[in-house]
Amino acid sequence: MNRGVTIEPWLREILRCPVTHSELVDGVDDGGEPVLVATEADAERGGRLQYPIRDGIPVFLVDEATVLPTEA
């Protein structure tokens, strides 16, 4: 279980979405697990990408990311 994951502030400042290069914010997926969510949408994929955190490590593989649909 990944709950309670913390990422050092110095690291948070340099982490960026590998696709949009936007900042990342904390989020929670549908299963209640922590994720990092891009602040800008990827037009090609139709929404903001969210990246899972596994064993305290963000997984920045685009194939592992899920897309949050853009809000109307």
Side-chain angles (χ1 to χ4, degrees), residues 1-7 26-29 31-36 51-59:
M1 189 174 286
N2 292 332
R3 297 185 207 296
V5 172
T6 58
I7 297 174
D26 292 319
V28 179
D29 68 11
E33 296 297 319
V35 294
L36 291 175
Y51 298 92
I53 299 174
R54 295 192 185 119
D55 297 323
I57 301 169
V59 179

Side-chain angles (χ1 to χ4, degrees), residues 2 7-8 16-18 25 32-33 38 40 45 49 62 68 72:
N2 292 332
I7 297 174
E8 295 292 329
R16 295 288 183 263
C17 172
V25 295
E33 296 297 319
E40 294 179 17
R45 290 172 182 82
L49 297 175
V62 177
L68 295 174

Side-chain angles (χ1 to χ4, degrees), residues 35-50:
V35 294
L36 291 175
V37 182
T39 56
E40 294 179 17
D42 176 31
E44 184 177 311
R45 290 172 182 82
R48 295 185 304 151
L49 297 175
Q50 67 178 13

Side-chain angles (χ1 to χ4, degrees), residues 6-34:
T6 58
I7 297 174
E8 295 292 329
W10 66 268
L11 182 56
R12 289 301 302 266
E13 289 194 22
I14 61 174
L15 291 178
R16 295 288 183 263
C17 172
V19 176
T20 65
H21 307 289
S22 63
E23 291 184 38
L24 297 160
V25 295
D26 292 319
V28 179
D29 68 11
D30 293 338
E33 296 297 319

